[in-house]
Amino acid sequence: MEYRTLGRTGLKVSVIGVGTWQLSGPLSLDGQADGYAEVGREQAIRLIHACEEFGINYIDSAELYGAGEGEHRIGAALQGRRDRWVISTKFGYRQGSQGERITDCRPDTIRTSLEGSLKRLQTDYIDVYLYHHAPDPNLIAESKTVLDSLKQEGKIRAYGISTDHPETLTQLVQQDAVEVVMFARSLLVEPESILKQVKDHRLGAIVRGAFASGLLSGKYFHQRPQLSEQDIRSHWLNAVKTERYRIYEQFVPPGVPMSAFALRYLLDFDTTHTIVLGSKTITEYQDALKAFDLPPLEANTRTTLAKIQRQFANPSLKQRVVNKLKTFLGR
């Protein structure tokens, strides 16, 4: 396992981390799936323990995942081994008493959210505490005061945000109210503005979406997914022509999982400090770790991958029209 420093936080994190949305059980918000099919509490705990054996020390959750069940499972898994792990969790989304989505990251609710997470995680501090939703720009300074107080009390060690919106990150950077940012990056996604801010301000960089919701996992290159209704991706991924992404197979050495290649691509960047995976089985993590068996990608390979990325990012006029029609018709 390789370890990197999470920006200016001083935290040493494994470059592969455990994401727990998929391990937290089903969740319904406002009558729609917002989680994943149940893997089982004991399986989730076994997976976390196995990842520790692999050298992984970073794990991510949120107060929303499984309506708190995700944090409960992490707390159970890390009993007696808390000091071996760097824990991040997120605040700002939660499930209401009627199953509704509550969006609330106001300054006067941050401490309450944190105390709830600490109790479920069975710990007295969280290493990285992240906004799960963009804060009101007018309340950033007040929220920073709360978060700084929590740091002084030793209840959190660093704070930041999970976002794919560079303008949101800019608002926080301008008020020195962010130390860590979690964002999507993959063979398909290159968030240039966010990456520039990571470099310019020495932010900790947590990458999510490495497999693009499964499109880059290799699972669906030759057969389309048939996800259950409990899986949040089912309403769109089941209809995607996933065979389009087989184009990446040409770059993967024989016997190497596609997931390992997708991770090797990300590991070559100094703006990747840790990559949070949403894998649900120990075997999937074993496949992912084969990324360390691959050498850094050659320059000509990166050039070709960049061209493919642009092609996917800039679909044809016909495809753009189809996409707009689908949006208009609500499909």
Side-chain angles (χ1 to χ4, degrees):
M1 181 56 63
E2 180 185 344
Y3 300 87
R4 298 180 184 179
T5 302
L6 190 63
R8 61 177 189 265
T9 69
L11 296 169
K12 292 287 187 180
V13 294
S14 54
V15 293
I16 302 297
V18 181
T20 59
W21 190 9
Q22 290 87 338
L23 302 178
S24 301
L27 176 66
S28 178
L29 295 175
D30 299 319
Q32 295 186 335
D34 202 87
Y36 292 81
E38 180 66 274
V39 299
R41 184 184 179 95
E42 293 307 314
Q43 168 60 16
I45 292 173
R46 282 195 298 272
L47 184 146
I48 292 168
H49 289 172
C51 285
E52 182 181 307
E53 293 298 317
F54 298 149
I56 293 173
N57 77 342
Y58 187 86
I59 191 164
D60 174 71
S61 190
E63 64 176 333
L64 180 67
Y65 295 169
E69 175 61 17
E71 291 179 328
H72 277 300
R73 293 179 181 186
I74 293 173
L78 300 192
Q79 282 302 291
R81 54 184 86 197
R82 170 66 181 92
D83 61 337
R84 307 174 199 171
W85 286 86
V86 175
I87 299 176
S88 70
T89 196
K90 300 182 283 292
F91 66 97
Y93 286 131
R94 60 183 183 273
Q95 185 188 53
S97 60
Q98 303 302 312
E100 75 277 19
R101 178 191 294 271
I102 295 176
T103 302
D104 186 357
C105 54
R106 292 172 300 162
D108 59 352
T109 64
I110 292 175
R111 183 177 291 273
T112 300
S113 286
L114 176 64
E115 294 295 346
S117 289
L118 289 172
K119 183 176 180 180
R120 289 186 292 272
L121 289 164
Q122 300 182 56
T123 185
D124 55 5
Y125 71 98
I126 288 168
D127 297 284
V128 182
Y129 201 42
L130 303 172
Y131 284 101
H132 209 175
H133 181 270
D136 182 334
N138 298 314
L139 297 177
I140 289 174
E142 188 177 347
S143 294
K144 172 179 165 58
T145 298
V146 174
L147 291 164
D148 284 340
S149 293
L150 293 170
K151 280 187 69 174
Q152 292 172 2
E153 294 170 26
K155 292 187 174 182
I156 62 175
R157 299 176 70 186
Y159 58 84
I161 189 168
S162 175
T163 185
D164 292 323
H165 301 288
E167 62 276 8
T168 297
L169 182 59
T170 298
Q171 291 169 350
L172 290 166
V173 164
Q174 288 174 342
Q175 299 193 53
D176 192 26
V178 59
E179 299 166 284
V180 179
V181 59
M182 175 184 284
F183 54 93
R185 191 182 194 185
S186 70
L187 286 162
L188 295 173
V189 176
E190 184 71 4
E192 295 179 359
S193 181
I194 286 179
L195 293 171
K196 183 177 187 305
Q197 294 188 74
V198 166
K199 286 186 175 181
D200 290 349
H201 303 284
R202 296 180 55 234
L203 302 179
I206 307 167
V207 176
R208 52 173 162 75
F211 304 146
S213 296
L215 293 176
L216 298 174
S217 67
K219 293 180 183 178
Y220 309 125
F221 284 176
H222 299 278
Q223 61 178 15
R224 294 191 187 180
Q226 295 182 334
L227 303 174
S228 76
E229 292 183 357
Q230 290 182 325
D231 193 314
I232 189 174
R233 301 170 298 169
S234 62
H235 70 280
W236 67 272
L237 189 55
N238 285 350
V240 172
K241 294 181 178 179
T242 54
E243 63 272 13
R244 296 173 64 213
Y245 301 93
R246 281 205 306 255
I247 190 171
Y248 290 108
E249 284 186 323
Q250 64 183 295
F251 303 102
V252 184
V256 175
M258 176 63 205
S259 58
F261 179 80
L263 293 175
R264 179 69 265 170
Y265 169 79
L266 294 169
L267 290 171
D268 288 348
F269 295 104
D270 60 6
T271 47
T272 299
H273 299 150
T274 186
I275 307 168
V276 174
L277 304 187
S279 300
K280 291 177 284 190
T281 69
I282 295 170
T283 299
E284 288 173 336
Y285 274 93
Q286 290 172 324
D287 284 345
L289 294 175
K290 293 176 183 176
F292 299 120
D293 297 332
L294 297 174
L297 302 186
E298 296 180 355
N300 60 340
T301 299
R302 290 197 163 276
T303 299
T304 305
L305 290 171
K307 291 179 180 177
I308 294 172
Q309 187 180 80
R310 288 193 294 271
Q311 290 171 0
F312 279 120
N314 299 290
S316 66
L317 175 60
K318 177 182 177 181
Q319 187 62 51
R320 291 200 297 270
V321 171
V322 170
N323 290 341
K324 285 183 178 295
L325 282 173
K326 285 181 177 179
T327 301
F328 178 77
L329 295 173
R331 294 179 179 174

